[in-house]
Amino acid sequence: MIIPVNRYLYVVQSEQISFPYCVSVLVEGSQRVLIDSGCSQEVASELRGRGLDVVINTHFHWDHSRQNQNLGPVEVWCHHLDAPAIRSAENFIARYGFKDFGAEDMGKMFLKYHGIEDRPVHRELNDGEILDLGQVCLRVIHTPGHTPGHCVFFDEYHGILLSGDIDLTAWGPWYLHICSDLDDYISSIEKCRELKPRLVISGHKGIVDQDIQARFLAYRDSILRKEEKILASLQQPLSIEELGALRLFYGPQNQFDSYIQFWERQGVYMHLQRLIKQGRVMEEGNLYYRT
Ligand SMILES: [Zn+2]
């Protein structure tokens, strides 16, 4: 489904917009540019028929880059810190921490299941660049935290922010792998809010045009709420496994299998790193204490 936002911008929405898919944005300027390629096969065929020049990935994740190779002879652009993870499947999977958390086989399965291979990136983007696409100019804004090279793109003239995985979903920010950084994520959410966009097109929510300021704050606060729950649980020393069992991220409704346990532990690990840095938590042996 291709929905016009104005004469130059279109929201591209597949039937599913949660992982492993996302909402893409088509820019019809002097060049035809797609922001994120996490669309279905059918939508990718339709876009290929239109003739694209460039695909820009907001970041390396599969749900934002899955169709890079199926859109015809396009150039792929991405921030220089995430380009290595698109170019190399080995780099891609190393960023998820499967090896670090003793789940290497799970990582191999992840690559195989999604069919992730090495793929080209033709141009590396930098913070502050202005992409002049004819009738639309997009400012590249580096917004790390979700991934090291995550970027949002701002059409300043129309006040439209293409926010990728600063996605304003009720689920909240996703940072369950070792290449995330919570302090950066919080700063990046704030950076987006300060742009005062009139309209946001997010990677898993689509068009957001109401209560934008409050939604950015609520999105940020969902990180802080989880942090408070971890601190409250640390009235007694706990291991990362015990903290993972709090199921702060996927909740009690999902089966607590080894896959979910892996993500829960990594999410808690990200919080613990931040709390240790702040001097609010200490680690001794394999236990975490409140200071
Ligand atoms: Zn992502």
Side-chain angles (χ1 to χ4, degrees):
M1 197 163 45
I2 299 180
I3 310 153
V5 177
N6 58 32
R7 278 174 67 192
Y8 311 111
L9 279 183
Y10 299 80
V11 171
V12 178
Q13 212 158 302
S14 302
E15 209 166 301
Q16 189 180 332
I17 58 170
S18 57
F19 185 90
Y21 300 93
C22 79
V23 174
S24 306
V25 176
L26 177 66
V27 183
E28 298 257 13
S30 55
Q31 298 191 83
R32 197 168 279 142
V33 177
L34 186 71
I35 317 288
D36 282 336
S37 69
C39 53
S40 66
Q41 201 60 49
E42 297 74 47
V43 172
S45 303
E46 191 181 340
L47 291 166
R48 195 168 55 234
R50 286 191 180 215
L52 293 173
D53 299 300
V54 177
V55 172
I56 301 175
N57 297 132
T58 55
H59 60 296
F60 76 90
H61 282 164
W62 183 243
D63 52 332
H64 292 254
S65 66
R66 60 178 296 137
Q67 301 290 1
N68 278 10
Q69 302 314 297
N70 302 321
L71 295 164
V74 296
E75 280 209 2
V76 175
W77 300 355
C78 177
H79 188 270
H80 67 88
L81 290 177
D82 270 18
I86 294 176
R87 291 198 178 112
S88 154
E90 197 183 323
N91 185 295
F92 179 105
I93 210 65
R95 293 180 179 218
Y96 278 85
F98 287 108
K99 201 172 171 181
D100 309 70
F101 279 75
E104 213 169 343
D105 287 348
M106 212 184 273
K108 284 181 188 152
M109 269 167 56
F110 187 91
L111 283 182
K112 197 170 164 196
Y113 179 79
H114 293 295
I116 300 168
E117 295 175 346
D118 298 354
R119 295 165 303 154
V121 173
H122 304 89
R123 176 175 166 187
E124 297 187 0
L125 301 174
N126 290 293
D127 183 49
E129 269 187 73
I130 304 290
L131 306 176
D132 185 351
L133 309 176
Q135 286 80 357
V136 180
C137 282
L138 295 178
R139 174 146 58 99
V140 179
I141 302 173
H142 183 215
T143 45
H146 178 63
T147 69
H150 185 278
C151 286
V152 299
F153 298 89
F154 192 40
D155 171 0
E156 211 146 12
Y157 183 78
H158 297 102
I160 298 175
L161 182 69
L162 316 181
S163 71
D165 268 357
I166 298 183
D167 61 16
L168 299 179
T169 55
W171 201 92
W174 192 96
Y175 44 84
L176 313 185
H177 60 3
I178 53 161
C179 75
S180 292
D181 183 291
L182 273 181
D183 286 325
D184 284 350
Y185 213 148
I186 290 168
S187 304
S188 292
I189 295 166
E190 192 56 16
K191 206 187 267 185
C192 289
R193 191 178 74 81
E194 283 171 358
L195 292 169
K196 297 191 170 60
R198 187 182 61 78
L199 188 139
V200 176
I201 306 173
S202 109
H204 295 289
K205 191 80 190 158
I207 294 175
V208 178
D209 58 0
Q210 303 286 320
D211 305 322
I212 290 173
Q213 289 290 309
R215 291 182 77 151
F216 275 122
L217 290 174
Y219 191 69
R220 179 204 62 190
D221 287 350
S222 87
I223 297 178
L224 304 178
R225 268 203 310 279
K226 291 185 182 87
E227 193 158 277
E228 288 310 316
K229 282 186 187 162
I230 290 173
L231 282 171
S233 304
L234 287 177
Q235 299 293 353
Q236 51 176 339
L238 292 174
S239 68
I240 199 160
E241 287 76 18
E242 287 167 321
L243 287 163
L246 295 173
R247 303 168 79 167
L248 291 177
F249 300 95
Y250 290 100
Q253 67 276 20
N254 285 295
Q255 205 189 333
F256 199 47
D257 56 20
S258 57
Y259 197 63
I260 294 291
Q261 284 173 33
F262 169 76
W263 299 118
E264 293 282 350
R265 278 203 297 270
Q266 288 229 62
V268 163
Y269 177 78
M270 300 315 296
H271 278 287
L272 291 171
Q273 295 314 297
R274 179 173 134 91
L275 290 167
I276 289 169
K277 207 160 46 172
Q278 290 174 344
R280 297 165 86 189
V281 164
M282 272 175 65
E283 182 188 3
E284 204 177 292
N286 62 348
L287 293 178
Y288 293 87
Y289 302 79
R290 248 175 106 153
T291 56

